[in-house]
Tab-separated table of all heavy atoms in Angstrom:
chain	number	residue	atom	x	y	z
E	4	TRP	N	22.804	-1.216	-12.712
E	4	TRP	CA	21.618	-0.798	-11.965
E	4	TRP	C	21.988	0.371	-11.062
E	4	TRP	O	22.928	0.292	-10.282
E	4	TRP	CB	21.082	-1.964	-11.133
E	4	TRP	CG	20.405	-2.998	-11.972
E	4	TRP	CD1	20.980	-4.103	-12.530
E	4	TRP	CD2	19.040	-3.003	-12.381
E	4	TRP	NE1	20.059	-4.804	-13.268
E	4	TRP	CE2	18.841	-4.152	-13.193
E	4	TRP	CE3	17.953	-2.161	-12.150
E	4	TRP	CZ2	17.624	-4.478	-13.766
E	4	TRP	CZ3	16.730	-2.485	-12.718
E	4	TRP	CH2	16.568	-3.617	-13.515
E	5	GLY	N	21.235	1.463	-11.163
E	5	GLY	CA	21.491	2.661	-10.378
E	5	GLY	C	20.824	2.625	-9.024
E	5	GLY	O	20.113	1.674	-8.677
E	6	HIS	N	21.036	3.695	-8.264
E	6	HIS	CA	20.612	3.752	-6.861
E	6	HIS	C	19.126	3.467	-6.670
E	6	HIS	O	18.740	2.698	-5.788
E	6	HIS	CB	20.948	5.130	-6.286
E	6	HIS	CG	20.443	5.343	-4.892
E	6	HIS	ND1	20.923	4.634	-3.815
E	6	HIS	CD2	19.470	6.164	-4.403
E	6	HIS	CE1	20.289	5.021	-2.723
E	6	HIS	NE2	19.408	5.935	-3.050
E	7	SER	N	18.261	4.051	-7.461
E	7	SER	CA	16.819	3.909	-7.239
E	7	SER	C	16.095	3.298	-8.433
E	7	SER	O	14.890	3.476	-8.588
E	7	SER	CB	16.217	5.279	-6.906
E	7	SER	OG	16.494	6.209	-7.940
E	8	ASP	N	16.825	2.588	-9.288
E	8	ASP	CA	16.209	2.014	-10.484
E	8	ASP	C	15.134	0.985	-10.150
E	8	ASP	O	14.180	0.794	-10.910
E	8	ASP	CB	17.273	1.340	-11.364
E	8	ASP	CG	18.130	2.361	-12.098
E	8	ASP	OD1	17.799	3.554	-12.045
E	8	ASP	OD2	19.129	1.964	-12.718
E	9	ALA	N	15.286	0.262	-9.043
E	9	ALA	CA	14.409	-0.871	-8.764
E	9	ALA	C	13.014	-0.466	-8.301
E	9	ALA	O	12.075	-1.262	-8.400
E	9	ALA	CB	15.051	-1.770	-7.707
E	10	ALA	N	12.856	0.754	-7.786
E	10	ALA	CA	11.591	1.138	-7.165
E	10	ALA	C	10.405	1.002	-8.109
E	10	ALA	O	9.385	0.385	-7.774
E	10	ALA	CB	11.696	2.564	-6.634
E	11	THR	N	10.510	1.574	-9.303
E	11	THR	CA	9.406	1.514	-10.258
E	11	THR	C	9.166	0.089	-10.737
E	11	THR	O	8.016	-0.350	-10.869
E	11	THR	CB	9.693	2.429	-11.466
E	11	THR	OG1	9.893	3.762	-11.000
E	11	THR	CG2	8.530	2.414	-12.440
E	12	PHE	N	10.244	-0.649	-10.994
E	12	PHE	CA	10.110	-2.048	-11.422
E	12	PHE	C	9.365	-2.864	-10.359
E	12	PHE	O	8.507	-3.695	-10.691
E	12	PHE	CB	11.493	-2.658	-11.658
E	12	PHE	CG	12.117	-2.276	-12.969
E	12	PHE	CD1	13.047	-1.266	-13.045
E	12	PHE	CD2	11.761	-2.934	-14.131
E	12	PHE	CE1	13.633	-0.926	-14.245
E	12	PHE	CE2	12.343	-2.599	-15.345
E	12	PHE	CZ	13.277	-1.584	-15.410
E	13	MET	N	9.715	-2.647	-9.086
E	13	MET	CA	9.063	-3.395	-8.006
E	13	MET	C	7.578	-3.066	-7.944
E	13	MET	O	6.735	-3.967	-7.781
E	13	MET	CB	9.727	-3.073	-6.667
E	13	MET	CG	11.028	-3.806	-6.416
E	13	MET	SD	10.870	-5.617	-6.336
E	13	MET	CE	9.913	-5.826	-4.832
E	14	GLU	N	7.257	-1.794	-8.058
E	14	GLU	CA	5.859	-1.385	-7.978
E	14	GLU	C	5.024	-2.036	-9.086
E	14	GLU	O	3.952	-2.592	-8.831
E	14	GLU	CB	5.771	0.144	-8.073
E	14	GLU	CG	4.362	0.685	-7.925
E	14	GLU	CD	4.318	2.195	-7.996
E	14	GLU	OE1	5.395	2.826	-8.047
E	14	GLU	OE2	3.196	2.756	-8.016
E	15	VAL	N	5.527	-1.980	-10.319
E	15	VAL	CA	4.802	-2.555	-11.454
E	15	VAL	C	4.730	-4.074	-11.344
E	15	VAL	O	3.668	-4.681	-11.567
E	15	VAL	CB	5.491	-2.144	-12.782
E	15	VAL	CG1	4.859	-2.862	-13.966
E	15	VAL	CG2	5.414	-0.640	-12.968
E	16	SER	N	5.823	-4.713	-10.975
E	16	SER	CA	5.863	-6.171	-10.906
E	16	SER	C	4.989	-6.707	-9.779
E	16	SER	O	4.309	-7.737	-9.942
E	16	SER	CB	7.305	-6.654	-10.731
E	16	SER	OG	8.116	-6.232	-11.813
E	17	CYS	N	5.007	-6.032	-8.617
E	17	CYS	CA	4.178	-6.477	-7.490
E	17	CYS	C	2.693	-6.373	-7.832
E	17	CYS	O	1.887	-7.230	-7.455
E	17	CYS	CB	4.490	-5.645	-6.247
E	17	CYS	SG	6.087	-6.023	-5.490
E	18	LYS	N	2.337	-5.304	-8.537
E	18	LYS	CA	0.942	-5.132	-8.940
E	18	LYS	C	0.516	-6.237	-9.895
E	18	LYS	O	-0.575	-6.813	-9.772
E	18	LYS	CB	0.766	-3.761	-9.590
E	18	LYS	CG	-0.684	-3.422	-9.913
E	18	LYS	CD	-0.796	-2.006	-10.452
E	18	LYS	CE	-2.255	-1.653	-10.749
E	18	LYS	NZ	-2.377	-0.264	-11.278
E	19	ALA	N	1.391	-6.574	-10.846
E	19	ALA	CA	1.074	-7.637	-11.803
E	19	ALA	C	1.012	-9.002	-11.121
E	19	ALA	O	0.200	-9.854	-11.496
E	19	ALA	CB	2.132	-7.654	-12.906
E	20	ALA	N	1.848	-9.215	-10.101
E	20	ALA	CA	1.880	-10.503	-9.401
E	20	ALA	C	0.830	-10.607	-8.309
E	20	ALA	O	0.616	-11.692	-7.748
E	20	ALA	CB	3.266	-10.718	-8.793
E	21	LYS	N	0.185	-9.476	-7.976
E	21	LYS	CA	-0.845	-9.426	-6.939
E	21	LYS	C	-0.316	-9.920	-5.590
E	21	LYS	O	-0.924	-10.759	-4.923
E	21	LYS	CB	-2.059	-10.253	-7.358
E	21	LYS	CG	-2.740	-9.738	-8.622
E	21	LYS	CD	-3.956	-10.572	-8.995
E	21	LYS	CE	-4.615	-10.019	-10.260
E	21	LYS	NZ	-5.808	-10.816	-10.661
E	22	VAL	N	0.833	-9.363	-5.198
E	22	VAL	CA	1.428	-9.727	-3.905
E	22	VAL	C	1.423	-8.552	-2.924
E	22	VAL	O	2.044	-8.618	-1.875
E	22	VAL	CB	2.874	-10.231	-4.093
E	22	VAL	CG1	2.887	-11.516	-4.894
E	22	VAL	CG2	3.759	-9.178	-4.742
E	23	GLY	N	0.726	-7.478	-3.264
E	23	GLY	CA	0.725	-6.304	-2.403
E	23	GLY	C	1.957	-5.451	-2.627
E	23	GLY	O	2.751	-5.698	-3.539
E	24	SER	N	2.145	-4.460	-1.782
E	24	SER	CA	3.284	-3.558	-1.912
E	24	SER	C	4.509	-4.151	-1.221
E	24	SER	O	4.486	-4.411	-0.014
E	24	SER	CB	2.942	-2.195	-1.295
E	24	SER	OG	4.044	-1.321	-1.383
E	25	VAL	N	5.558	-4.386	-1.990
E	25	VAL	CA	6.782	-4.981	-1.456
E	25	VAL	C	7.968	-4.138	-1.909
E	25	VAL	O	8.077	-3.805	-3.090
E	25	VAL	CB	6.965	-6.432	-1.956
E	25	VAL	CG1	8.267	-7.026	-1.404
E	25	VAL	CG2	5.782	-7.292	-1.544
E	26	ARG	N	8.832	-3.790	-0.989
E	26	ARG	CA	10.060	-3.086	-1.335
E	26	ARG	C	11.146	-4.106	-1.674
E	26	ARG	O	11.111	-5.235	-1.203
E	26	ARG	CB	10.521	-2.199	-0.182
E	26	ARG	CG	9.540	-1.090	0.150
E	26	ARG	CD	9.997	-0.239	1.317
E	26	ARG	NE	10.261	-1.048	2.503
E	26	ARG	CZ	11.453	-1.275	3.000
E	26	ARG	NH1	12.531	-0.760	2.430
E	26	ARG	NH2	11.613	-2.016	4.077
E	27	PHE	N	12.120	-3.686	-2.474
E	27	PHE	CA	13.175	-4.615	-2.890
E	27	PHE	C	13.907	-5.174	-1.677
E	27	PHE	O	14.284	-6.345	-1.658
E	27	PHE	CB	14.163	-3.915	-3.831
E	27	PHE	CG	15.098	-4.856	-4.521
E	27	PHE	CD1	14.778	-5.401	-5.755
E	27	PHE	CD2	16.301	-5.227	-3.934
E	27	PHE	CE1	15.629	-6.291	-6.395
E	27	PHE	CE2	17.155	-6.120	-4.559
E	27	PHE	CZ	16.821	-6.656	-5.794
E	28	HIS	N	14.101	-4.356	-0.631
E	28	HIS	CA	14.845	-4.817	0.540
E	28	HIS	C	14.128	-5.969	1.241
E	28	HIS	O	14.768	-6.765	1.943
E	28	HIS	CB	15.044	-3.656	1.519
E	28	HIS	CG	16.059	-3.935	2.582
E	28	HIS	ND1	17.420	-3.979	2.334
E	28	HIS	CD2	15.925	-4.212	3.909
E	28	HIS	CE1	18.071	-4.252	3.442
E	28	HIS	NE2	17.190	-4.410	4.420
E	29	GLU	N	12.815	-6.066	1.045
E	29	GLU	CA	12.070	-7.135	1.701
E	29	GLU	C	12.306	-8.493	1.035
E	29	GLU	O	11.945	-9.528	1.597
E	29	GLU	CB	10.582	-6.770	1.733
E	29	GLU	CG	10.314	-5.689	2.763
E	29	GLU	CD	8.948	-5.039	2.649
E	29	GLU	OE1	8.390	-4.992	1.539
E	29	GLU	OE2	8.451	-4.565	3.685
E	30	LEU	N	12.948	-8.506	-0.114
E	30	LEU	CA	13.390	-9.765	-0.702
E	30	LEU	C	14.520	-10.357	0.140
E	30	LEU	O	14.638	-11.575	0.272
E	30	LEU	CB	13.865	-9.551	-2.139
E	30	LEU	CG	12.849	-8.911	-3.103
E	30	LEU	CD1	13.467	-8.750	-4.485
E	30	LEU	CD2	11.566	-9.717	-3.160
E	31	ARG	N	15.343	-9.489	0.690
E	31	ARG	CA	16.411	-9.915	1.608
E	31	ARG	C	15.797	-10.516	2.869
E	31	ARG	O	16.253	-11.548	3.373
E	31	ARG	CB	17.295	-8.717	1.932
E	31	ARG	CG	18.374	-8.926	2.988
E	31	ARG	CD	19.195	-7.638	3.081
E	31	ARG	NE	20.016	-7.562	4.275
E	31	ARG	CZ	21.254	-8.053	4.377
E	31	ARG	NH1	21.783	-8.713	3.367
E	31	ARG	NH2	21.954	-7.901	5.488
E	32	HIS	N	14.725	-9.872	3.376
E	32	HIS	CA	14.028	-10.415	4.547
E	32	HIS	C	13.401	-11.772	4.231
E	32	HIS	O	13.384	-12.670	5.074
E	32	HIS	CB	12.940	-9.443	5.009
E	32	HIS	CG	13.474	-8.153	5.540
E	32	HIS	ND1	14.481	-8.085	6.468
E	32	HIS	CD2	13.127	-6.868	5.274
E	32	HIS	CE1	14.746	-6.822	6.746
E	32	HIS	NE2	13.936	-6.063	6.031
E	33	THR	N	12.881	-11.892	3.013
E	33	THR	CA	12.273	-13.162	2.606
E	33	THR	C	13.302	-14.283	2.608
E	33	THR	O	13.049	-15.390	3.102
E	33	THR	CB	11.638	-13.021	1.213
E	33	THR	OG1	10.611	-12.023	1.261
E	33	THR	CG2	11.042	-14.340	0.743
E	34	TYR	N	14.486	-14.003	2.064
E	34	TYR	CA	15.575	-14.986	2.045
E	34	TYR	C	15.916	-15.428	3.469
E	34	TYR	O	16.010	-16.630	3.767
E	34	TYR	CB	16.798	-14.368	1.378
E	34	TYR	CG	18.068	-15.171	1.504
E	34	TYR	CD1	18.337	-16.226	0.636
E	34	TYR	CD2	19.005	-14.876	2.488
E	34	TYR	CE1	19.508	-16.963	0.741
E	34	TYR	CE2	20.174	-15.601	2.608
E	34	TYR	CZ	20.421	-16.645	1.737
E	34	TYR	OH	21.585	-17.375	1.855
E	35	ALA	N	16.063	-14.453	4.359
E	35	ALA	CA	16.434	-14.775	5.737
E	35	ALA	C	15.333	-15.559	6.440
E	35	ALA	O	15.606	-16.510	7.188
E	35	ALA	CB	16.740	-13.491	6.501
E	36	SER	N	14.077	-15.167	6.226
E	36	SER	CA	12.967	-15.862	6.891
E	36	SER	C	12.870	-17.310	6.436
E	36	SER	O	12.557	-18.202	7.225
E	36	SER	CB	11.653	-15.131	6.613
E	36	SER	OG	11.272	-15.255	5.255
E	37	MET	N	13.160	-17.569	5.155
E	37	MET	CA	13.116	-18.945	4.656
E	37	MET	C	14.211	-19.788	5.285
E	37	MET	O	14.001	-20.969	5.603
E	37	MET	CB	13.235	-18.945	3.131
E	37	MET	CG	11.995	-18.412	2.427
E	37	MET	SD	12.149	-18.477	0.629
E	37	MET	CE	10.525	-17.843	0.137
E	38	LEU	N	15.393	-19.200	5.475
E	38	LEU	CA	16.473	-19.923	6.148
E	38	LEU	C	16.099	-20.259	7.588
E	38	LEU	O	16.307	-21.380	8.061
E	38	LEU	CB	17.758	-19.091	6.142
E	38	LEU	CG	18.609	-19.085	4.864
E	38	LEU	CD1	19.847	-18.226	5.078
E	38	LEU	CD2	19.003	-20.495	4.460
E	39	VAL	N	15.544	-19.262	8.302
E	39	VAL	CA	15.161	-19.478	9.701
E	39	VAL	C	14.068	-20.536	9.794
E	39	VAL	O	14.112	-21.433	10.647
E	39	VAL	CB	14.709	-18.152	10.346
E	39	VAL	CG1	14.182	-18.399	11.759
E	39	VAL	CG2	15.863	-17.156	10.393
E	40	ASN	N	13.065	-20.444	8.920
E	40	ASN	CA	11.968	-21.414	8.939
E	40	ASN	C	12.447	-22.824	8.622
E	40	ASN	O	11.849	-23.803	9.050
E	40	ASN	CB	10.894	-21.013	7.927
E	40	ASN	CG	9.925	-20.002	8.514
E	40	ASN	OD1	9.590	-20.049	9.688
E	40	ASN	ND2	9.483	-19.060	7.685
């Protein structure tokens, strides 16, 4: 996986999943928030 390969995948996948605009780095935030919660 290259430096910016994930951007397009995230955009297409988020649209298909109907979760709004999410950057790949926010998956890291999601992991941390679940631990804190």
